[in-house]
Amino acid sequence: MSGAARILALAVCLAATAPAVDATIADDGPDALAARLLAARADEREPLLALPQYATAEVARALVAAGRKDGPAGADAAKTLDAFRTAEGIARRIGAEREVALALLASVEALGVQGKLAPIPPMLDEALGIYESLGDAAGQAETWNSIGNYKNILGEPGAALEPYEKAFRLWSSAGDEIGGARALNNVGNVHRSLGSLDEALQAYEQALPVFEGHGDRARAAVVTNNVGLVHFERGEYPEALAYCRRSLAMQEALGDPYRVATAAHSVATILRAQGAYARALEVFYRALKIRQEIGDTWGTMETLNNIGEVHFSEGDYRLAIDAYKRALGMNAKMGGDVQLAEGLANIAAAARRLGERTRAVANYRESLRLSQRDGYRGIAARDLHDLGRMALEEGRLSEAKDLLGRALAARETLKDQAGIAESLSGLAALDLAAQRPRNALLRAGRAVEIARAIEQPELRWEAETLSARAYRTLGRADEARRALERAVAVIEELRLQAGGEPSVEGFFEGRLSPYHELLALALARGATAEALEIAERSKARELALLLEKGRADVAGRMTQEERHEERGLQAALVSANRALQGERQEETPDPARVPALETERDTRRRALEAFQTAVYSRHPELPVQRGRAAPFAVAEAAALLPDPSVALLEYVVLDDEAYLFVLAREGGRVRLDAYPLGLGRRALEESARRMRERMAGRDLAFGDDARALYERLLAPARTRLAGKTHLVVVPDGALWEVPFQALRDPAGRYLIESAAVSYAPSLTVLRETLRPRAVREGPPSLLAMGKADFGERQAREIADLYEPARRALYLGPEAREDRFKTEAPRYSILHLAAHGELDEASPLYSHVVLSPGTSGSSEDGLLEAWEMMDLRLTADLLILSACESGRGRIAPGEGIVGTMWAAFVAGSRALLVSQWKVEATSTTELMIAFHRGLAAGTGASKAGLLRQASLEVLRQPRYAHPFYWAGFVLVGNPY
């Protein structure tokens, strides 16, 4: 994403605005009287105000001081405004005009922070008129300064510059150095907001020594933060972080929550830009909590926007959009085009990553219109860049050149180092597309230097990858390899700093290209083992890590308050699920009510996800505990191959080529071979999609696809696979959609007729599922649950195959979600026969439909994937006899994310899941045949038992089509 989130000028200009008020008065003096007034009930206050000792200018000033003591927003917004309005009322009653104006400006300040803008203009006009009539230059300066603040709040920084400059001249003519420095700080804020960073830094550097010289630590801390933000927006991250951390320490010593939140937010923004995502989230949520508590509406909106950017960086684009929308929703109530422009650009960037290109272009163009109209040059440059990259992706090179060139020129004018590096990378990509590798190398090399200097890892790995492509085109393979190794090293370090389990399964999406290109280089020089190990580093990384290290105990570290909040959010989601389920089960569902209930459910989901991410960020020790997973090494292959009958097949699909790696025992050793398949990603996606759709739809035309894919995917290794009776397949990308067991050889035989077929997300994951556990005594134990007619029959007949003492069977209403969660950890085999529902948009909400339980139950009967992740299973096998239970989102770098992924995380060593919507009768026959062999305890492998069960069904003429027998696949430990 281009640049980092813009820090609102509002927060820091307001934080440096308030005039000093001397409230040091005796206990029975004005501030004691003010305290009594504020503590009094409404019916008690009027008699007090009638007393002469309360009707004084000193009491009015003390009330203003009392309202301001907790910072610009006030610990209690209503109480703060009450103090200021009470002061105004006293001042008006006694004709103290100066105090009337003082109270008006204090109210303006509080209303601005709280986002209540409508009453402000007449209050400012009145205050200015009072000070002009009194000939009070300092008061006029204060009012012009507040007018500038108001313009800033409206998102009109250009219009704020003149009022601030007037304030500076008036304060300077009055000899008020502090006032002049305050105005200079705000002038700097305007220049920074407009992208004039040199002018901003000049203004701040004039103001800072004034505050330091006068011992004004609070304002010195604010300006120190602002200097850091200039360095940040220039891309000078080390300097920026040093200034902002210094400011945060100063503010913490002063104890002002408003300013602490402002400084903390700045620190977090820089950490995010540096790729320290976990630490950034931790500090952002700290700032958010403070800002929400003190009623800082603008600050809350700003922090939500930046939390969205962290989610974006971690690959969780839907959660990012949710945060952006929450921020924009707040902005809509207050106005402010700069925030609207930036928010639209942020949503556009996330939509682009989700493949929603029409939405992305529309949002970018509207953001560009707003930013160009109002002079927000940094945001406009980002919009130009991103639109240019989209044009490049679509092959419109001339348009891309224009947009990317304009973006670079704007960023160079702004001296935005991060933006310059990003634009140089965009132009390098354009050069490569236009066959200009030398130009690309120069631009990418410069981008690498800038990204390294400013410690911006996201920009660096992309620039290193572009350099490698240029080197490779120029025939300089060794230099290309070194550049790619540097890119991969940067990504690996970024991965360690990702926020935690709720969002990491999407981390590698968009970051796989250097791994793939490094793999291709290794194969080109014959380093097959190295290539396979690189492939493993790009697959199922998070899943392998969770299997090796175990899940962090987040629940055990929650505070009582966090547990209470979680229960409330879970209850709200259960309620929304039940309402939606109930409406869908009506004979004639209300066509208007269903979408509304779906929206409510989705809102509840996002709220729970945001809470879970926030909790993880509040406990930063958890991601550190997870450490690094040990990736698979070819030397470990022997442990995955129990005998010569087994072969491991790992596929890697690149944009322009796909490869098959085969590992099998031969002559007492393990042999590795690699085969190019002669087609790239798009061709494979189309073939895989067509075959799956034809099989799932019982289309008799599937045969041509089954033969063609056999020739593409298996025939290149035909000689190596001869005599192998068990193939363990590690798919990649769209190959997860292919039922390999139903591929047909040239003689027309299905692969299942020659060999058992099982699957694994990666060889690293396979290794983890094979690690020994504590030995169970006795034969397998079964927990079977059946829901609906087909499920009840299936579960009952399966349970009959097991010893009564080692089985538990629950049918219909007794097949409860809470019962499964409680009892499942005790059994070695788990079988759920029920309806399943795939949620393609949010795969961790895919679910199996069980019973909700008795009235008052906290469960909705939907065993969702994210809930399964929280279980602590010890099962050797989990069977999900439900529709599409093996499907989900194909996440680059992680495999299939959905129910299957969640079940592995929960602790199951193997899964039997479906690839399409299955038929009840044939499924029941297949499951009974499979369990018959499993319960007999013959020692046959799970993959072998599934093969035998599939053949039993296949050999029945009515079930000969692969739809009936090929839909279920075994994933994980197949032995």
Side-chain angles (χ1 to χ4, degrees):
M1 185 182 297
S2 63
R6 180 167 302 277
I7 308 296
L8 297 178
L10 163 69
V12 287
C13 73
L14 287 177
T17 293
V21 179
D22 185 2
T24 308
I25 307 177
D27 289 346
D28 57 350
D31 68 336
L33 297 175
R36 287 182 204 139
L37 281 172
L38 294 177
R41 298 193 308 270
D43 60 336
E44 297 172 337
R45 186 175 293 181
E46 283 305 315
L48 292 176
L49 289 171
L51 299 173
Q53 63 265 40
Y54 287 92
T56 68
E58 290 80 4
V59 171
R61 289 197 296 273
L63 284 164
V64 171
R68 278 187 168 139
K69 69 180 180 180
D70 290 327
D76 184 322
K79 184 178 177 181
T80 298
L81 277 172
D82 179 51
F84 298 152
R85 286 168 175 162
T86 303
E88 180 188 344
I90 290 173
R92 290 187 186 282
R93 184 177 301 180
I94 63 175
E97 289 190 309
R98 184 171 276 104
E99 281 68 29
V100 169
L102 176 67
L104 286 170
L105 292 185
S107 293
V108 163
E109 180 186 342
L111 290 167
V113 172
Q114 295 163 25
K116 300 173 182 177
L117 307 185
I120 288 179
M123 298 169 77
L124 288 170
D125 288 343
E126 184 180 0
L128 184 60
I130 290 172
Y131 284 128
E132 286 177 341
S133 68
L134 294 172
D136 185 338
Q140 292 175 54
E142 195 70 64
T143 308
W144 281 114
N145 197 62
S146 293
I147 291 170
N149 291 344
Y150 174 66
K151 297 295 184 183
N152 240 331
I153 294 172
L154 291 177
E156 302 171 6
L161 190 57
E162 183 180 357
Y164 287 145
E165 289 176 339
K166 283 184 178 180
F168 174 71
R169 290 193 294 271
L170 284 163
W171 267 318
S172 297
S173 66
D176 185 344
E177 289 187 334
I178 289 288
R182 288 170 55 210
L184 281 170
N185 174 67
N186 292 338
V187 167
N189 290 338
V190 171
H191 284 307
R192 182 161 56 83
S193 180
L194 295 174
S196 304
L197 300 181
D198 286 348
E199 291 87 344
L201 188 58
Q202 182 180 7
Y204 293 145
E205 289 178 341
Q206 282 182 261
L208 184 56
V210 173
F211 292 137
E212 290 175 336
H214 284 266
D216 191 336
R217 295 183 298 155
R219 292 191 178 105
V222 169
V223 181
T224 298
N225 188 72
N226 291 345
V227 172
L229 295 179
V230 171
H231 286 295
F232 167 71
E233 293 184 13
R234 281 180 165 179
E236 299 159 355
Y237 297 143
E239 295 89 343
L241 194 57
Y243 274 102
C244 290
R245 279 180 166 159
R246 178 183 168 202
S247 173
L248 178 57
M250 295 166 71
Q251 298 290 18
E252 286 172 335
L254 291 165
D256 182 335
Y258 177 89
R259 290 169 173 162
V260 167
T262 300
H265 181 97
S266 301
V267 168
T269 301
I270 300 163
L271 290 171
R272 187 203 68 81
Q274 291 182 311
Y277 302 133
R279 286 188 291 152
L281 270 181
E282 175 194 358
V283 183
F284 273 136
Y285 275 110
R286 177 188 173 197
L288 182 67
K289 186 172 187 290
I290 296 171
R291 286 174 159 179
Q292 289 174 330
E293 286 174 350
I294 65 177
D296 181 359
T297 306
W298 280 97
T300 298
M301 179 180 70
E302 179 191 28
T303 302
L304 282 170
N305 188 67
N306 280 265
I307 287 171
E309 294 216 348
V310 179
H311 292 318
F312 180 96
S313 297
E314 293 187 323
D316 196 333
Y317 304 119
R318 296 195 183 281
L319 202 54
I321 288 175
D322 185 60
Y324 296 149
K325 282 184 171 180
R326 288 173 64 195
L328 278 181
M330 298 177 71
N331 182 65
K333 299 176 183 177
M334 298 177 290
D337 283 349
V338 62
Q339 292 79 35
L340 176 58
E342 184 173 32
L344 288 170
N346 287 341
I347 291 174
R352 176 186 167 203
R353 291 296 182 91
L354 290 169
E356 301 171 3
R357 299 183 73 84
T358 301
R359 178 187 186 186
V361 169
N363 277 8
Y364 276 133
R365 287 178 175 165
E366 178 61 11
S367 173
L368 182 61
R369 184 187 71 80
L370 291 170
S371 56
Q372 288 180 327
R373 184 192 71 186
D374 295 334
Y376 308 130
R377 293 183 291 170
I379 300 174
R382 172 191 171 180
D383 294 332
L384 289 168
H385 173 87
D386 287 3
L387 285 168
R389 290 302 293 258
M390 293 185 74
L392 176 59
E393 291 162 2
E394 293 167 5
R396 304 192 309 274
L397 302 192
S398 177
E399 181 183 348
K401 180 181 178 181
D402 173 64
L403 292 166
L404 292 170
R406 288 163 62 193
L408 177 61
R411 286 165 161 178
E412 287 178 332
T413 300
L414 295 171
K415 299 184 179 179
D416 174 4
Q417 294 301 302
I420 290 169
E422 184 179 47
S423 290
L424 286 169
S425 288
L427 287 165
L430 175 64
D431 286 330
L432 287 169
Q435 304 298 312
R436 296 189 296 265
R438 296 188 185 280
N439 284 356
L441 188 58
L442 290 172
R443 281 173 163 155
R446 187 179 163 208
V448 168
E449 291 173 2
I450 294 172
R452 184 188 291 117
I454 64 177
E455 298 181 9
Q456 225 294 11
E458 291 285 8
L459 292 175
R460 184 180 167 191
W461 76 257
E462 183 184 12
E464 293 277 20
T465 304
L466 290 164
S467 293
R469 290 174 188 164
Y471 281 129
R472 191 176 181 188
T473 304
L474 293 167
R476 297 156 66 178
D478 287 344
E479 290 165 290
R481 177 171 54 83
R482 288 193 289 271
L484 289 169
E485 286 171 347
R486 291 192 295 269
V488 166
V490 172
I491 293 171
E492 293 291 328
E493 189 60 32
L494 274 171
R495 177 61 193 81
L496 284 180
Q497 302 191 65
E501 291 168 18
S503 59
V504 288
E505 71 271 5
F507 176 82
F508 278 98
E509 195 161 347
R511 295 182 174 98
L512 287 178
S513 56
Y515 292 87
H516 288 169
E517 293 178 38
L518 197 56
L519 179 151
L521 282 177
L523 286 175
R525 67 176 196 277
T528 308
E530 179 183 329
L532 178 58
E533 289 172 358
I534 293 168
E536 278 293 302
R537 293 173 67 189
S538 69
K539 286 188 175 185
R541 291 289 301 281
E542 177 61 18
L543 181 55
L545 181 62
L546 290 169
L547 293 180
E548 180 181 350
K549 305 291 185 182
R551 297 196 72 196
D553 181 17
V554 182
R557 287 173 167 80
M558 279 191 194
T559 65
Q560 187 173 356
E561 180 184 357
E562 287 169 341
R563 291 176 188 277
H564 177 75
E565 184 178 358
E566 182 183 47
R567 284 194 295 271
L569 291 168
Q570 289 173 338
L573 178 57
V574 165
S575 176
N577 278 337
R578 282 181 165 173
L580 177 59
Q581 200 176 8
E583 185 63 35
R584 284 175 171 170
Q585 290 172 351
E586 293 287 336
E587 286 190 19
T588 55
D590 185 336
R593 182 167 164 75
V594 168
L597 290 172
E598 288 175 338
T599 299
E600 176 66 15
R601 176 205 60 191
D602 291 345
T603 299
R604 300 299 184 188
R605 285 178 175 180
R606 298 292 182 247
L608 182 57
E609 289 173 17
F611 167 80
Q612 290 166 338
T613 303
V615 166
Y616 214 99
S617 74
R618 291 172 200 152
H619 301 282
E621 74 279 5
L622 292 173
V624 174
Q625 283 182 344
R626 295 168 56 245
R628 297 176 187 267
F632 169 82
V634 172
E636 300 176 275
L640 310 185
L641 295 163
D643 58 63
S645 68
V646 181
L648 307 176
L649 283 64
E650 174 150 352
Y651 290 87
V652 180
V653 180
L654 311 186
D655 288 339
D656 55 356
E657 180 60 281
Y659 297 94
L660 165 61
F661 294 89
V662 177
L663 280 160
R665 290 183 180 272
E666 184 176 286
R669 64 181 183 86
V670 174
R671 176 178 161 185
L672 168 64
D673 294 282
Y675 304 88
L677 301 183
L679 71 170
R681 188 184 312 281
R682 287 190 179 179
L684 271 179
E685 286 175 347
E686 175 59 25
S687 297
R689 179 194 60 78
R690 186 172 60 245
M691 180 181 178
R692 184 195 166 280
E693 287 180 354
R694 284 178 171 175
M695 287 201 173
R698 292 180 249 198
D699 190 333
L700 296 178
F702 76 89
D704 291 341
D705 298 305
R707 288 186 179 89
L709 278 173
Y710 181 95
E711 286 300 312
R712 288 294 195 184
L713 301 177
L714 295 173
R718 184 184 288 113
T719 302
R720 287 286 289 119
L721 299 179
K724 303 302 179 187
T725 57
H726 180 185
L727 305 183
V728 181
V729 179
V730 178
D732 192 26
L735 294 182
W736 277 103
E737 298 280 306
V738 175
F740 278 74
Q741 58 274 16
L743 299 183
R744 301 182 84 166
D745 65 18
R749 286 169 56 85
Y750 293 111
L751 182 60
I752 196 72
E753 295 181 86
S754 304
V757 180
S758 64
Y759 298 81
S762 70
L763 295 178
T764 310
V765 168
L766 180 62
R767 178 193 69 195
E768 295 305 316
T769 65
L770 294 175
R771 290 195 188 279
R773 281 177 168 166
V775 178
R776 293 177 182 272
E777 295 183 3
S781 57
L782 170 76
L783 171 63
M785 288 188 168
K787 190 79 167 59
D789 292 342
F790 81 93
E792 292 181 40
R793 176 190 161 226
Q794 183 184 127
R796 185 184 297 108
E797 294 194 29
I798 285 167
D800 286 343
L801 299 171
Y802 290 82
E803 296 177 12
R806 299 189 63 80
R807 74 185 185 209
L809 173 65
Y810 300 103
L811 304 175
E814 295 304 309
R816 302 198 316 260
E817 180 185 4
D818 61 341
R819 174 170 278 152
F820 180 82
K821 290 178 178 179
T822 301
E823 297 192 21
R826 301 201 297 268
Y827 292 86
S828 61
I829 299 172
L830 307 172
H831 186 108
L832 294 179
H835 289 298
E837 185 171 324
L838 170 67
D839 190 324
E840 294 188 84
S842 301
L844 289 178
Y845 288 99
S846 300
H847 58 263
V848 176
V849 181
L850 298 176
S851 295
T854 56
S855 177
S857 169
S858 61
E859 303 291 357
D860 52 21
L862 307 182
L863 179 61
E864 293 174 312
W866 69 269
E867 294 178 288
M868 191 176 292
M869 287 172 63
D870 288 332
L871 302 181
R872 293 293 183 266
L873 302 181
T874 60
D876 296 323
L877 177 63
L878 168 61
I879 301 162
L880 295 174
S881 183
C883 293
E884 300 185 292
S885 55
R887 300 191 68 216
R889 184 174 69 89
I890 299 176
E894 202 56 44
I896 294 282
V897 174
T899 305
M900 181 171 69
W901 195 87
F904 275 124
V905 173
S908 181
R909 292 303 180 94
L911 307 169
L912 187 57
V913 290
S914 62
Q915 290 183 299
W916 50 70
K917 293 184 178 180
V918 294
E919 192 268 341
T921 306
S922 59
T923 295
T924 296
E925 292 198 24
L926 185 143
M927 290 298 172
I928 291 171
F930 175 71
H931 276 279
R932 190 181 300 118
L934 202 62
T938 62
S941 71
K942 294 187 284 290
L945 293 173
L946 178 61
R947 174 176 179 260
Q948 291 301 321
S950 299
L951 291 174
E952 282 190 34
V953 177
L954 162 63
R955 288 165 182 160
Q956 300 179 50
R958 58 178 175 159
Y959 296 142
H961 193 287
F963 166 80
Y964 296 101
W965 54 264
F968 281 91
V969 294
L970 182 70
V971 188
N973 182 346
Y975 304 126

